[in-house]
């Protein structure tokens, strides 16, 4: 139902869900790795990936994968919900030397290992839960307010990262 008019675009039908296998995804990446083994049992690995994942599948985190404009699904092509641009992983192994005077079964074969994994954040799509096209699908993206930063003045990780005043309901939704 279109909140502005109270009418359905196709009044003889309720909500219509269309499933199609005609969606596009594209992933490209640059991967670099460095492995170094030093003397005295120390080994170190560093791996970095710069990737870009694009698709037109739509929002998959909490919202249905429905195109905002059902007549032009190609408009949905952009960064995927799973797009993680930067990934850095490093790991190390240190073979602890056997202390003198201890039997091999007690003091030998011990290691210290560690893995660290860092990655950039994933894209966020701000939805308004409105139906600007009047087709019964409430998955429209909110409009940006010109000149208003999407980053709040009291920015705080992880609690306050998006400025709600930077978004408005699209015109024609009646909300």
């Amino acid at each position: 139902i279109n909140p502005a008019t109270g009418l359905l675009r196709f009044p003889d039908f309720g909500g219509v869900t269309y499933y199609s296998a005609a969606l596009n995804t594209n992933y490209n990446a640059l991967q670099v790795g460095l492995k170094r083994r030093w003397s005295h049992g120390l080994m170190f690995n560093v791996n970095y990936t710069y990737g870009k994942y694009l698709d037109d599948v739509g929002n998959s985190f909490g919202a249905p994968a429905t195109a905002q404009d059902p007549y032009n699904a190609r408009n949905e092509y952009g960064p995927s919900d799973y797009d993680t641009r930067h990934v850095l992983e490093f790991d190390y192994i240190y073979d602890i030397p056997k202390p003198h005077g201890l039997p091999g079964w007690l003091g030998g074969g011990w290691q210290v290992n560690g893995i660290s994994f860092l990655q950039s954040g994933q894209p966020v799509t701000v939805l308004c839960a409105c139906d600007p096209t009047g087709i019964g699908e409430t998955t429209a993206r909110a409009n940006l307010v010109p000149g208003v930063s999407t980053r709040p003045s009291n920015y705080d990780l992880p609690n306050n990262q998006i400025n709600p005043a930077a978004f408005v309901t699209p015109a024609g939704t009646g909300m």
Side-chain angles (χ1 to χ4, degrees):
I1 296 176
N2 184 334
T5 64
L7 302 173
L8 287 173
R9 181 171 292 224
F10 304 106
D12 295 335
F13 300 96
V16 176
T17 303
Y18 173 74
Y19 294 98
S20 172
L23 301 173
N24 296 300
T25 62
N26 183 9
Y27 178 75
N28 291 292
L30 168 71
Q31 298 175 326
V32 179
L34 173 68
K35 182 182 235 180
R36 176 71 191 220
R37 181 181 285 274
W38 283 286
S39 60
H40 306 294
L42 180 61
M43 187 172 79
F44 190 73
N45 293 307
V46 177
N47 299 290
Y48 172 75
T49 302
Y50 173 76
K52 188 172 185 180
Y53 182 14
L54 302 171
D55 67 22
D56 58 5
V57 175
N59 260 336
S60 58
F61 293 141
T66 305
Q68 179 170 309
D69 179 357
Y71 302 110
N72 188 1
R74 187 70 178 156
N75 271 348
E76 302 303 312
Y77 192 74
S80 170
D81 290 342
Y82 308 105
D83 182 35
T84 305
R85 295 291 167 98
H86 305 278
V87 178
L88 177 67
E89 178 273 335
F90 55 94
D91 58 87
Y92 56 89
I93 299 172
Y94 177 63
D95 293 321
I96 299 174
K98 178 182 156 298
H100 297 292
L102 288 178
W105 61 269
L106 178 62
W110 291 93
Q111 293 181 331
V112 174
N113 304 305
I115 298 175
S116 295
F117 183 81
L118 305 163
Q119 72 179 35
S120 59
Q122 295 170 321
V124 174
T125 301
V126 177
L127 301 176
C128 72
C130 54
D131 183 16
T133 57
I135 61 168
E137 292 289 343
T138 57
T139 57
R141 290 182 292 275
N143 286 345
L144 282 171
V145 176
V148 178
S149 173
T150 58
R151 184 178 180 143
S153 59
N154 57 345
Y155 181 81
D156 176 47
L157 277 175
N159 301 318
N160 192 21
Q161 300 177 56
I162 296 176
N163 180 7
F167 303 94
V168 294
T169 303
T173 62
M175 295 183 76

